[in-house]
Amino acid sequence: MPLVPELSPGKRHQSPLPFGSSDALLLAQWARQGLAHQRLTVVVAAQAADAQRIAEELVFFDPQLAVAQFPDWETLPYDSFSPHQDLVSERLATLWRLLGRGGRVPADEQDRIDVLVLPASTALARLAPPAFLAKTTFRFKQGAK
């Protein structure tokens, strides 16, 4: 019997709030179950700091999981300055890895994503269509021509 109940689309599951880091342990077990069915596990955290903590703890509890974090912009909607370029790069890299998971672009083993962690505010923001990202980006590696 699995430790976490099987989830089905459209159904809601609610559990009591786990203590300390046990939420990450529970999510790691959930992700491991989803991996058996070739499913991506998406974790939506309340705050950006929670997303960071959960991503780090997931790797601690299950080092075999490929965990990706989709960071928040860390700017307010009407700020007069742009987000940091490292955040932009990390977001684009994560989206590229997700495209590879969906078979839209060629993927390497290092591009694998089993768990995607993001803050709720980031989950609410609109993104460009996947076809646009696949069409307007490229990747090159050392030694590639």
Side-chain angles (χ1 to χ4, degrees):
M1 166 120 180
L3 297 172
V4 180
E6 182 69 28
L7 297 178
S8 56
K11 299 293 180 185
R12 182 181 175 152
H13 173 74
Q14 189 171 357
S15 296
L17 186 64
F19 182 73
S21 293
S22 59
D23 58 350
L25 176 61
L26 181 68
L27 290 168
Q29 292 170 348
W30 229 322
R32 184 53 61 189
Q33 284 180 9
L35 207 56
H37 295 94
Q38 306 256 330
R39 290 188 198 144
L40 173 68
T41 300
V42 178
V43 178
V44 180
Q47 302 290 328
D50 294 333
Q52 177 71 33
R53 176 189 62 83
I54 288 171
E56 291 171 1
E57 291 174 357
L58 282 170
V59 174
F60 173 79
F61 286 120
D62 193 343
Q64 300 302 318
L65 286 175
V67 179
Q69 186 177 359
F70 194 66
D72 195 24
W73 283 122
E74 297 180 3
T75 59
L76 297 172
Y78 298 105
D79 278 347
S80 60
F81 56 90
S82 299
H84 195 273
Q85 55 199 359
D86 290 347
L87 288 174
V88 175
S89 297
E90 189 176 345
R91 287 172 64 98
L92 285 172
T94 302
L95 289 173
W96 179 264
R97 289 172 64 192
L98 284 171
L99 283 174
R101 190 176 201 288
R104 294 179 189 259
V105 295
D108 295 333
E109 178 59 27
Q110 70 215 25
D111 291 337
R112 191 178 104 235
I113 293 181
D114 301 324
V115 183
L116 178 66
V117 183
L118 68 157
S121 59
T122 304
L124 295 173
R126 296 184 69 170
L127 296 171
F132 175 80
L133 185 65
K135 182 174 60 173
T136 58
T137 42
F138 66 94
R139 183 173 188 176
F140 60 103
K141 295 185 228 175
Q142 185 175 4
K145 294 184 180 181

